Amino acid sequence: MQPTVPAARIEDVDVKISVLVHAAPYTHQAADTAYQFILAAIAKGHAITRVFFYHDGVNIATRLAVPPADDRNIQKCWSVLAAEHGVDLVVCIAAAQRRGILDEGEARRHGKGDGAANLAPGFRIAGLGQLIEMGIQSDRLVVFGA
Amino acid sequence: MQPTVPAARIEDVDVKISVLVHAAPYTHQAADTAYQFILAAIAKGHAITRVFFYHDGVNIATRLAVPPADDRNIQKCWSVLAAEHGVDLVVCIAAAQRRGILDEGEARRHGKGDGAANLAPGFRIAGLGQLIEMGIQSDRLVVFGA
Amino acid sequence: MLHTVNASPFERTALTCCLAHAVNGDAVVLIEDAVYAVVKGSTASAEIVAMTEGVDLYVLGPDLAARGINRAKLIAGITEIDYAGFVDLVVAHTSSQAWL
Amino acid sequence: MLHTVNASPFERTALTCCLAHAVNGDAVVLIEDAVYAVVKGSTASAEIVAMTEGVDLYVLGPDLAARGINRAKLIAGITEIDYAGFVDLVVAHTSSQAWL
Amino acid sequence: MSDTAIAPKIIKKFLYVNRKAPYGTIYALEALEAVLIGAAFDQDVSLAFLDDGVFQLTKGQNARAIGMKTVSPAFGALGDFGVTRLYVEAESLAERGLTRDDLMIITHDFENGTTGEVPSIIVVDRARMSNVMAEHDIVLTF
Amino acid sequence: MSDTAIAPKIIKKFLYVNRKAPYGTIYALEALEAVLIGAAFDQDVSLAFLDDGVFQLTKGQNARAIGMKTVSPAFGALGDFGVTRLYVEAESLAERGLTRDDLMIITHDFENGTTGEVPSIIVVDRARMSNVMAEHDIVLTF
């Protein structure tokens, strides 16, 4: 199958794209579509400015998920994306606290005990300002949610 | 405001009710409605056979959530319900593994490191059989979801 | 049978689906965002009036209050209940079904 | 402007809302469960035909394949794209809006 | 699993109601997981497919291109688990441009042990679907 | 927060699109949190309320009875954050049995520093709402 988007409408081969992900992994397909979209964008030579995880999208970043062996591991897909392509994966701190996704600093600050941090490798927790900033710094922003 | 359900239609004052909760805390109101429903049922003298958390409902059971100080703490509400009224709160093991909710045994079994277990007090993780069993053992089953 | 609907009728089709299956003598409880369905003058309320003959319709008062919907705005024929009344309805019907 | 819709038109009203706001020259991409909208003979496809004059309509092929919808079942006037084509559409439009 | 050791005396009629499309959300998959576990309990189990739930049963699904697991083949195993009644609503099919021919063929063995297979899918109209729901003790919606 | 120290040179037009009712889901609340943080960035910020999003602006909300926080008062503070344009779609109101009088009064100070308050809510028809969307660089949907 050939994509039939008119080539004349494509402006550039090196566009800065940022992505906002709103929905929980597995429960909604949004995390999967966002991931496939980003792979395709990278393959085309575009730059991914940042991925911001908001609402239940923050749950993608838990290192504790153990999906069935015959299914994809969504967190690992994203962690590999960060490692191999240097994609900046930012988890909203306010949304993450509400839902129980903590990095080591947060886990300590809230007295959750040693080893409690559940943020997966390749993700970082930061403020909503990072969402605005990625909107400013990128040429395109795409939202995937539910 | 007086409820106007015809009293003649109410069969019993000691009915066994079980509750199934499907939706993520905060994101959907389902966890709140289920909680208020159960408080009202207990106040009326009914027995809560069990609450089973499925789909994203398993996320209610994380001990790592730190909601804003001016908001309710949904996990704590449920943990208190278990402590004060002995309500059996069962988190589906398959749904929980997929979403990163683990008790100590599971955390150890999957090599997540000491202190990684994030199941809150008052909840226990068990198989889907507990859902079927509660259907068999209770007089009524109510589903709250999204 | 007791049916529960919790989604806004303007966002999801769950209420329509429910009403298409509710039969004479059934009860329908609107909770959470579904309570918007019974606001007078809305497109959803017109559908409810047309489709609930023989069905008892209840709405959860606390959810109305949260959303600032006062009783004067409700269409006729709706019974407002609180959580205790919801429990009574569950007890009064041998089975219930959630239209999620 | 590029619009994306990902919900089934039989379950949610998002597609209707989107089409009511898409204007001449806009593009709409149907992804995930929204791809069911373009199945010939469905109530949703009738609405699409009526509401997309002047709007370019795209559907994500991988989502069609997952759901077992082969091309023979699609209404006319739909362009099937893959993820790369989706990226091209995002690039080709200065802004995009997700109807969630 | 220790769950299956309970061997309850009570037999109830369980109806699993499927109203969501597959892949876009996980409900179809996790409902099926619940059905397969539940089948071990010697209860009377039926499934209902209405609204977008009818999409779960369509032929030709292949989720490889979206990086997911194809759910539909598992329905073929239901008969082996003693789940033999899949009620499908005719109006839901028609509204979605589907006919019975768009659905997978799902069968189970004759109950009396003679050879041959019986279709598990029972297409019913909306009024009959309401009756099916009313006839069950427990209605689990996903 | 260190985020605010970035002081970007580029000014873009941000539109926050609100299409969900409050309380039933968290989208209204978390969208508002994003708006309030975003306001610190010296960008051009507007809000759009259409479909069920118009319910966010209704008078008389009180979530105490459902054990939740009442979201609506926070809209009154938007003016202080420099967010002065709340586009509300007329058709969305009408379909829901609402009029402008059912909405809260939300105002902001005159921009030139003279005394007096200006209404922040701008009721627009659907065609104008499409234009509003098209006029913005970044459309954030919640």
Side-chain angles (χ1 to χ4, degrees):
Chain A
M1 187 201 53
Q2 290 298 317
T4 55
V5 181
R9 294 175 58 184
I10 299 163
E11 298 169 358
D12 208 325
V13 290
D14 187 18
V15 172
K16 285 177 285 190
I17 299 174
S18 59
V19 173
L20 177 54
V21 181
H22 280 333
Y26 305 104
T27 300
H28 294 97
Q29 199 188 336
D32 298 282
T33 306
Y35 173 73
Q36 300 287 351
F37 175 88
I38 289 168
L39 287 185
I42 291 172
K44 282 190 159 277
H46 300 307
I48 303 300
T49 304
R50 178 173 294 152
V51 184
F52 194 81
F53 298 89
Y54 200 44
H55 297 316
D56 277 357
V58 302
N59 289 317
I60 294 165
T62 177
R63 68 176 182 88
L64 300 183
V66 188
D70 62 347
D71 199 357
R72 73 240 188 253
N73 185 320
I74 294 179
Q75 169 260 308
K76 289 235 161 72
C77 287
W78 286 95
S79 290
V80 168
L81 194 67
E84 294 190 352
H85 298 281
V87 178
D88 186 20
L89 306 180
V90 177
V91 176
C92 171
I93 187 165
Q97 285 189 347
R98 196 173 258 134
R99 292 167 179 84
I101 304 294
L102 306 176
D103 62 14
E104 283 187 28
E106 288 296 304
R108 200 180 314 113
R109 194 157 70 87
H110 296 290
K112 297 299 187 182
D114 289 344
N118 59 349
L119 189 74
F123 294 86
R124 63 189 179 92
I125 290 184
L128 273 161
Q130 300 275 313
L131 165 61
I132 313 304
E133 189 189 279
M134 85 178 188
I136 296 168
Q137 295 177 347
S138 58
D139 304 309
R140 299 288 182 273
L141 186 151
V142 192
V143 183
F144 294 93
Chain B
M1 187 201 54
Q2 291 297 319
T4 55
V5 181
R9 294 175 58 183
I10 299 162
E11 297 169 359
D12 207 325
V13 290
D14 187 17
V15 172
K16 285 175 285 188
I17 299 174
S18 59
V19 173
L20 177 55
V21 181
H22 280 334
Y26 306 105
T27 300
H28 293 97
Q29 198 188 337
D32 298 281
T33 306
Y35 173 72
Q36 299 287 350
F37 175 89
I38 289 168
L39 286 185
I42 291 171
K44 282 190 159 278
H46 300 306
I48 304 299
T49 303
R50 178 173 295 153
V51 183
F52 193 82
F53 298 90
Y54 200 43
H55 297 316
D56 277 357
V58 302
N59 289 317
I60 294 165
T62 176
R63 67 177 182 88
L64 299 182
V66 188
D70 63 347
D71 200 357
R72 74 243 187 251
N73 185 319
I74 294 179
Q75 170 261 308
K76 288 234 162 71
C77 287
W78 286 95
S79 290
V80 168
L81 194 67
E84 293 190 352
H85 298 281
V87 178
D88 186 20
L89 306 180
V90 176
V91 176
C92 172
I93 188 164
Q97 285 189 346
R98 194 173 259 134
R99 291 167 180 83
I101 304 293
L102 306 176
D103 62 14
E104 283 186 28
E106 289 295 304
R108 201 179 314 114
R109 194 157 71 87
H110 296 289
K112 297 299 185 181
D114 288 344
N118 60 348
L119 189 74
F123 294 86
R124 63 188 179 93
I125 290 183
L128 273 160
Q130 300 276 313
L131 165 61
I132 313 303
E133 189 190 279
M134 85 178 187
I136 296 167
Q137 296 177 347
S138 58
D139 303 309
R140 299 287 182 274
L141 186 151
V142 193
V143 182
F144 295 93
Chain C
M1 168 164 265
L2 179 71
H3 304 268
T4 62
V5 180
N6 74 330
S8 162
F10 307 102
E11 192 201 356
R12 300 214 193 188
T13 58
L15 177 61
T16 305
C17 298
C18 168
L19 295 181
H21 291 87
V23 298
N24 226 16
D26 281 0
V28 174
V29 188
L30 304 178
I31 65 174
E32 304 176 4
D33 284 347
V35 303
Y36 288 118
V38 294
V39 172
K40 222 183 277 181
S42 68
T43 51
S45 71
E47 185 185 354
I48 283 184
V49 171
M51 291 185 70
T52 50
E53 181 154 341
V55 172
D56 292 328
L57 201 60
Y58 299 87
V59 64
L60 199 55
D63 279 320
L64 288 173
R67 290 157 181 83
I69 306 170
N70 63 49
R71 247 170 286 176
K73 298 219 87 186
L74 304 193
I75 55 172
I78 308 289
T79 304
E80 186 178 333
I81 55 171
D82 58 11
Y83 292 106
F86 187 7
V87 172
D88 289 346
L89 280 173
V90 165
V91 169
H93 292 81
T94 50
S95 68
S96 73
Q97 170 158 9
W99 294 80
L100 302 174
Chain D
M1 167 164 267
L2 179 72
H3 304 267
T4 61
V5 180
N6 73 330
S8 162
F10 307 102
E11 192 200 357
R12 300 214 193 188
T13 59
L15 177 60
T16 305
C17 298
C18 168
L19 295 180
H21 290 86
V23 298
N24 225 17
D26 281 1
V28 174
V29 188
L30 304 178
I31 65 174
E32 304 175 4
D33 284 346
V35 303
Y36 288 119
V38 293
V39 172
K40 221 183 278 180
S42 68
T43 52
S45 70
E47 185 185 353
I48 283 184
V49 170
M51 291 185 70
T52 50
E53 180 152 343
V55 172
D56 292 328
L57 201 59
Y58 299 87
V59 64
L60 199 54
D63 279 320
L64 288 173
R67 290 158 181 83
I69 306 170
N70 63 50
R71 247 170 287 176
K73 298 220 88 186
L74 304 192
I75 56 172
I78 309 289
T79 304
E80 186 178 335
I81 54 172
D82 58 11
Y83 291 107
F86 187 8
V87 171
D88 289 345
L89 281 173
V90 165
V91 169
H93 292 83
T94 51
S95 68
S96 72
Q97 170 158 9
W99 295 79
L100 302 174
Chain E
M1 201 182 321
S2 67
D3 290 335
T4 56
I6 293 161
K9 299 287 193 303
I10 310 162
I11 303 227
K12 286 192 177 179
K13 287 167 73 76
F14 279 72
L15 183 68
Y16 292 77
V17 174
N18 298 283
R19 293 185 53 250
K20 309 274 188 189
Y23 308 114
T25 57
I26 202 171
Y27 302 107
L29 172 62
E30 290 195 327
L32 195 53
E33 290 180 356
V35 169
L36 294 174
I37 299 283
F41 275 73
D42 273 339
Q43 299 290 306
D44 183 328
V45 172
S46 298
L47 273 57
F49 296 84
L50 64 157
D51 303 328
D52 277 355
V54 300
F55 286 132
Q56 296 181 25
L57 300 177
T58 55
K59 283 178 190 161
Q61 297 175 34
N62 183 346
R64 196 164 32 91
I66 57 171
M68 293 170 65
K69 193 170 74 172
T70 308
V71 180
S72 48
F75 286 107
L78 285 174
D80 300 337
F81 286 80
V83 178
T84 59
R85 285 179 306 274
L86 280 62
Y87 297 101
V88 176
E89 189 178 274
E91 287 86 343
S92 296
L93 289 173
E95 287 161 6
R96 286 160 185 78
L98 299 176
T99 68
R100 199 184 190 120
D101 290 342
D102 293 308
L103 305 184
M104 298 181 289
I105 292 170
I106 300 171
T107 60
H108 57 276
D109 293 338
F110 271 117
E111 279 182 31
N112 59 12
T114 55
T115 49
E117 293 196 326
V118 186
S120 298
I121 289 181
I122 308 160
V123 177
V124 297
D125 66 14
R126 190 159 280 165
R128 175 77 187 108
M129 185 59 89
S130 289
N131 289 340
V132 166
M133 290 166 174
E135 286 159 8
H136 284 78
D137 301 308
I138 310 270
V139 181
L140 294 173
T141 12
F142 296 94
Chain F
M1 202 181 322
S2 66
D3 291 333
T4 57
I6 293 160
K9 299 286 194 303
I10 310 162
I11 303 227
K12 287 191 177 180
K13 287 167 73 77
F14 279 73
L15 183 68
Y16 292 78
V17 174
N18 297 282
R19 294 185 52 250
K20 308 274 188 189
Y23 308 114
T25 57
I26 202 171
Y27 302 107
L29 172 62
E30 290 194 327
L32 195 53
E33 290 180 356
V35 170
L36 294 173
I37 299 283
F41 275 73
D42 273 339
Q43 298 291 306
D44 183 328
V45 172
S46 298
L47 273 58
F49 296 84
L50 64 155
D51 302 328
D52 278 354
V54 300
F55 287 131
Q56 296 181 24
L57 299 176
T58 55
K59 282 178 189 160
Q61 297 175 34
N62 184 345
R64 197 164 32 91
I66 56 171
M68 293 170 66
K69 193 169 74 171
T70 307
V71 180
S72 48
F75 287 107
L78 285 174
D80 301 337
F81 286 81
V83 178
T84 59
R85 285 179 307 273
L86 280 62
Y87 297 100
V88 175
E89 188 178 274
E91 288 86 344
S92 297
L93 290 173
E95 287 161 7
R96 286 159 186 77
L98 300 175
T99 69
R100 199 185 189 117
D101 290 342
D102 292 308
L103 304 185
M104 297 182 290
I105 292 171
I106 300 172
T107 61
H108 58 276
D109 293 337
F110 272 118
E111 279 183 32
N112 60 13
T114 55
T115 49
E117 294 196 325
V118 186
S120 298
I121 289 180
I122 306 159
V123 177
V124 298
D125 66 13
R126 190 159 281 166
R128 174 78 186 107
M129 185 58 89
S130 289
N131 290 340
V132 166
M133 291 166 173
E135 287 160 7
H136 284 78
D137 302 308
I138 309 271
V139 181
L140 294 173
T141 12
F142 296 95

